[in-house]
Every structure is written in structure tokens, then in C-alpha cells.
Amino acid sequence: MNLIGEHTDYNDGFVLPSAIGFYAHVAIAPRSDDKILLKSTAYDGQFEFHAAGLPEQKQDVWADYVLGVAHQLKRAGIPLTGANLLLHSEVPVGSGLSSSAALEVASALALQSLSGKTLPLQQIAKLCQSAENEFVGAHVGIMDQFVSCFGKEGHAVLIDCRSLDFELVPIPSNADFVICNTMVKHELSGGEYNQRRAQCEEGVLILSKFYPGIKALRDVSVEQLIGHESDLPAIVYRRCLHVVLENARTLDAVKCFASDDLATVGQLMRASHESLRDLYEVSCAELDTMVESAQGLPGFIGGRMTGGGFGGCTINLVERANSQEFAKEVAARYKARIGISPDVFVCSAANGAGVEADHAAV
Ligand code: ADP
Ligand code: MG
């Protein structure tokens, strides 16, 4: 779940996600043959593959996420052997909470655990992202896999998407995250996501003529951008302004968390939403309604859309004493205004992936 820093990742910028306490568990046991058997408690049936001859193409089934990870592990020098894998995930599917990243990271750690070798966790995050990019064919950034790996209880994770350096940022213990799913996902024609990326690249190209060191919007200061407004097409300027200001807001939010200034974090989240709505133009009526529905409720600190946009979830920072009541109220308001009952999750920053105890076969 990303607190702030939206559409900054592919601009080499900063994001501030947290892992939340929904876990995907993968139990694994070695087999004496070379079969890899996959089962999930969420789906009937099972999948059977051979460790030595995994399918090279996706099968359009959930097992693709595990197959993609298995290919990547092999490529990284982790030998695969026969095994039974059972997945049980608490992460709701397709709710914007990245059940896919949880599945990938859990599978990677499980498969690795039988090999006797250990890759650095950062490499696990990267290879899970590659699995989703290359095998499943979903063009996701590194954030979800990274925070699945490095999340820490009571902390958000400031990630520098250029260097992949990260910093743990304590979240005051009197605040909860309330995630509200609008239950809509507008499929827009024309590849809005690719368009935004192209507009950012166009901005970089133009600005780099004035400032040769600029490789990505991450390198552009607010002053540099404002000074060259007239050199950029208006729409490109607005897109760039969002990214440059959003990077600054993300770093500001880290400082505010450090000084326990939650009120300002709330204002930064609000500003982020308005910027995504008005400058980057990736919000939608349902997201705006969900954000508005939170205003004025007791304990509400701040909220905004989270994720790529055009539907999906909002994230709200709410005082813990009020978070359960807030969840009920915001859901009722949204239902009254849009006519859809939203899924609402109250959660807090939790630990990322790890290997649980070894259990002897029974
Ligand atoms: P999300 O936003 O939840 O990551 P995705 O479409 O990226 O949505 O990933 C959801 C997919 O991940 C599911 O369609 C399924 O293929 C796989 N998946 C998630 N959770 C499970 C599970 N418990 N068992 C099997 N597959 C799962
Ligand atoms: Mg996903």
C-alpha cells in the first residue's frame, strides 16, 4: 500500500509504501521425483510441472506467477527440485493490495528454501518483478515486490526508485491505514498509462536541452520546471509538474512523520490527490467521491487515491481510536453516493516476507 509518491516510480523518483498485515503463506515440501505440484486454497484443482522442463510460455492461470518466479530463480542460479507447494493467501485478489506480489515473493522464498542457497532480498524483489513483467506480461514497477520483501512493522519504506536504496520511516502508533476499494476499474482506451510515461519522457527531453544533466524527472527541481513552462506543451508541463511536486511531497512526508506532524502529512496526501486529479488526470468520479467521503469524519488525518488510478483504492490515515468507526462511515457515505458497497480494510504497517519455522513432514 502506497502512502504517497504516485506515478513517481518510473520517473526514478520516490515512493513511500508500507507492507500491511495480510499474508500469503506458501508451504513447501521436497519430493523424491522432479515434479512441482502447485495448489492454492483459493482455487480448485492443482498444477503439475517438471522442474527440469517448466513451460516457457504463460498458461493464463494463477500458477503463472509461480512459474515466472521459478524461471527467474533458475536464471539466478537457484537449482529447482521436485516439490509440493500449497498457497494460502489472506490478500484479497484484485483489490489493489497486490496479491500478485505477495504470491511471487512467498513462492520465491519457498522455492529458494529447498535449494540451500540464499539470494540477497533485493534480488528476490527484482526477480519477482521480472517474473511479472516478462512471464505474466504485466508492466508493474518494483514497489510492491520491494515492500513485500522489506516491509517492517510500524514503518513505511521510503524507496529511491533509481538506486533502490531505502529507508525505514516510523509511523506513529496511534495511526491506522484505512484502505477503501471503490470496486471500479475503468479500462480506458488509448493506453493512458503509456501516454503518461511518454509525456514525462517528452518533458525530460525538452528540459535536458537546458540542463544537460537531466536523465529523468527525478533530476528536475520545481524552479527549473517552472522556469521553462513556456518551452513545454501545456499538457506535458502539467504532467511534469505533478511528478516533480509529488517527489517533493514524498520527501516532505518523511520529515513530517519523523517530527510526528501527522496534520501536515494529511495535507500532503490531500495535495497529492488533487495533483493526481487535476494535473496528472488519473483519478475518476468514484475515487474523488471516496476521498470526499472521508472529509470531516472523526479521526481523519488525510487521504488520497493510491495506485495507478482510474479506479482501485484510496488510502486514509486515521487515528486508531476512530479507525473502525471511520471505516463504517466512509463505506456508508460512498454507498449512498455511488450505489456500490466498497471493501474497506483497516490495517497498519506490518513485517514483510520471511521464512517461518521448519516443520518436519507428518
Ligand atoms: P492484485 O492487485 O491483487 O495484485 P493482480 O491481477 O495483479 O491483482 O493479481 C491477481 C492474481 O494473482 C489472481 O488473478 C491470481 O492469478 C493470483 N493470485 C492471487 N492470490 C492468489 C491465491 N490465493 N491463489 C492463487 N492465485 C492467486
Ligand atoms: Mg498485482
Side-chain angles (χ1 to χ4, degrees), residues 121-198:
L121 208 47
Q122 199 187 70
Q123 197 178 346
I124 295 283
K126 278 193 197 167
L127 68 83
C128 287
Q129 180 203 12
S130 303
E132 192 154 343
N133 291 165
E134 293 166 23
F135 196 81
V136 179
H139 296 284
V140 294
I142 184 75
M143 181 178 78
D144 296 343
Q145 290 80 4
F146 196 93
V147 76
S148 276
C149 286
F150 289 102
K152 188 165 163 50
E153 189 179 351
H155 292 76
V157 187
L158 174 68
I159 306 171
D160 178 333
C161 295
R162 170 171 282 169
S163 64
L164 289 191
D165 286 341
F166 70 98
E167 183 187 317
L168 292 174
V169 178
I171 304 290
S173 59
N174 60 338
D176 273 335
F177 306 139
V178 182
I179 297 166
C180 305
N181 189 349
T182 61
M183 314 303 275
V184 301
K185 190 80 209 163
H186 300 293
E187 299 298 340
L188 298 174
S189 58
E192 295 285 336
Y193 180 77
N194 292 339
Q195 234 178 52
R196 296 299 181 285
R197 286 189 83 131

Side-chain angles (χ1 to χ4, degrees), residues 242-278:
H242 163 73
V243 173
V244 169
L245 291 174
E246 183 78 354
N247 274 328
R249 277 189 289 268
T250 305
L251 297 176
D252 279 353
V254 169
K255 285 191 198 130
C256 292
F257 274 121
S259 60
D260 235 340
D261 181 3
L262 287 187
T264 306
V265 173
Q267 284 166 16
L268 291 166
M269 291 173 82
R270 172 88 202 177
S272 168
H273 184 77
E274 287 171 359
S275 175
L276 288 158
R277 184 188 66 197
D278 302 336

Side-chain angles (χ1 to χ4, degrees), residues 98-101 132:
S98 217
S99 68
S100 57
E132 192 154 343

Side-chain angles (χ1 to χ4, degrees), residues 91-107:
V91 189
V93 172
S95 283
L97 298 181
S98 217
S99 68
S100 57
L103 168 52
E104 289 150 14
V105 171
S107 303

Side-chain angles (χ1 to χ4, degrees), residues 46-99:
Q46 62 182 36
F47 293 98
E48 201 179 301
F49 305 102
H50 287 279
L54 295 176
E56 293 295 332
Q57 299 294 325
K58 68 169 172 173
Q59 322 269 298
D60 290 316
V61 292
W62 68 263
D64 288 339
Y65 294 91
V66 186
L67 286 173
V69 165
H71 277 296
Q72 291 289 336
L73 283 171
K74 235 179 179 173
R75 202 179 289 173
I78 299 290
L80 295 180
T81 50
N84 296 331
L85 282 84
L86 174 64
L87 164 69
H88 177 71
S89 178
E90 303 155 5
V91 189
V93 172
S95 283
L97 298 181
S98 217
S99 68

Side-chain angles (χ1 to χ4, degrees), residues 196-208:
R196 296 299 181 285
R197 286 189 83 131
Q199 287 160 343
C200 292
E201 281 165 22
E202 189 180 342
V204 169
L205 195 67
I206 296 169
L207 291 165
S208 65

